[in-house]
Amino acid sequence: MRVGIGYDSHAFAPKSKKRKLVLGGVEIPHDRGLKGHSDADAVAHAVTDALLGAAGLGDIGRMFPNDDPRWKDANSIHLLNQAFLKVVEAGFQFVHVDVTIIAEQPKLAPHIDAMEANVAEAVLAGPAHVSIKAKTNEGMGWIGRGEGIAVLAVATLAKHGD
């Protein structure tokens, strides 16, 4: 078994930028989206890093550099799927991913099931293999002030033949 940890955080874009808030491939109603080169889906980014880390394949920034125009406004769930296929090519099988989203606003509970389904589909697994939960930062720090969102992910892989 191999375990990888992923982390991602993004600040909210100014309201004038009209960015959509996308987490786990779900467009979430909110007055601001997250700043980023791609769609800034911090859930997909953290899961991607966790998978790549568990497989020893680097990180999302090496695979999809943010200075490459090909990834401008890219759908991060599609990037997650592409990274996952590299993990499979390296001889690994997906077992589970556990994700924690840390955000003061908006309320994410109504969107968790859809996020789990999207992440599971990207890694060719059933939703029972993906756990996503949302927490606040109890008003502390930059997250507590509503400046952005952070996400932690832990992925478990099995090596084929072990």
Side-chain angles (χ1 to χ4, degrees), residues 8-150:
D8 195 42
S9 62
H10 288 274
F12 282 111
K15 290 180 183 181
S16 62
K17 292 288 183 182
K18 301 289 185 201
R19 296 265 308 182
K20 294 177 181 176
L21 177 59
V22 179
L23 294 171
V26 176
E27 189 176 321
I28 300 187
H30 194 55
D31 63 345
R32 294 186 295 166
L34 297 172
K35 281 196 279 188
H37 184 67
S38 66
D39 62 5
D41 184 336
V43 170
H45 295 175
V47 172
T48 300
D49 267 351
L51 290 171
L52 292 172
L57 296 175
D59 63 27
I60 192 171
R62 277 193 259 171
M63 191 168 284
F64 308 108
N66 66 4
D67 58 357
D68 187 330
R70 288 181 296 167
W71 314 125
K72 178 76 174 133
D73 297 323
N75 179 320
S76 295
I77 288 291
H78 291 149
L79 300 181
L80 169 58
N81 177 256
Q82 289 179 42
F84 172 71
L85 295 176
K86 295 288 187 189
V87 167
V88 171
E89 279 180 23
F92 293 95
Q93 176 182 342
F94 176 79
V95 176
H96 189 264
V97 69
D98 184 32
V99 179
T100 301
I101 306 166
I102 308 160
E104 292 300 309
Q105 292 292 327
K107 295 293 183 195
L108 299 174
H111 310 286
I112 297 291
D113 290 344
M115 285 189 246
E116 288 175 342
N118 287 342
V119 171
E121 184 178 340
V123 298
L124 309 177
H129 296 271
V130 176
S131 173
I132 298 179
K133 39 208 186 297
K135 305 292 180 189
T136 70
N137 219 37
E138 300 294 331
M140 298 181 294
W142 64 271
I143 295 172
R145 289 189 299 272
E147 296 173 17
I149 292 175

